[in-house]
Amino acid sequence: MSDKEKEPLKKGEEGKAGEEGKDGEEKKDERGFCEKCWGAICEVVMTVCRTIYNTLSFIFNTIRSVLAFIWYPIKERCLACCQSCDRRLNPYRDPSYSNV
């Protein structure tokens, strides 16, 4: 046995014995099952939340665009109706009857 193998492990070198792979390369620490599972669950939740947000955002923007497109004609008809009612209830405000 060489002197290196006979030496006791120092503090911080406890898990390094036997972890070397081929050609003296150290193996990387692998994540545990719970960490992998938790990461996958978080990704699924984020994907679902992102999909719901994008869907609701699309619906809201579509409704807003449609309302913006049809709002002006509806507004003009409402104003015309209000002016018509005002003329009928207050004929003295109508400019066509100003000479009477």
Side-chain angles (χ1 to χ4, degrees):
M1 293 181 132
S2 67
D3 292 334
K4 190 174 185 178
E5 292 176 350
K6 291 180 183 177
E7 292 178 8
L9 293 176
K10 296 178 184 176
K11 188 175 184 180
E13 294 183 1
E14 297 169 2
K16 292 189 178 182
E19 284 190 8
E20 293 182 0
K22 295 179 183 177
D23 301 329
E25 297 175 2
E26 292 185 16
K27 292 169 56 177
K28 294 182 180 178
D29 293 334
E30 293 185 15
R31 293 179 7 185
F33 176 75
C34 291
E35 291 175 4
K36 290 178 185 178
C37 186
W38 180 248
I41 290 172
C42 288
E43 288 181 29
V44 168
V45 169
M46 285 301 298
T47 303
V48 169
C49 291
R50 191 176 305 124
T51 303
I52 290 171
Y53 173 77
N54 288 337
T55 303
L56 291 176
S57 178
F58 174 76
I59 291 170
F60 175 75
N61 288 334
T62 303
I63 291 172
R64 189 176 63 172
S65 297
V66 168
L67 289 177
F69 181 71
I70 64 173
W71 174 250
Y72 183 74
I74 292 173
K75 180 189 75 130
E76 290 297 318
R77 288 186 183 182
C78 288
L79 287 176
C81 180
C82 290
Q83 288 175 352
S84 175
C85 290
D86 187 44
R87 283 187 200 133
R88 180 167 283 192
L89 294 173
N90 304 311
Y92 59 89
R93 289 188 185 174
D94 191 8
S96 62
Y97 293 118
S98 65
N99 60 1
V100 176

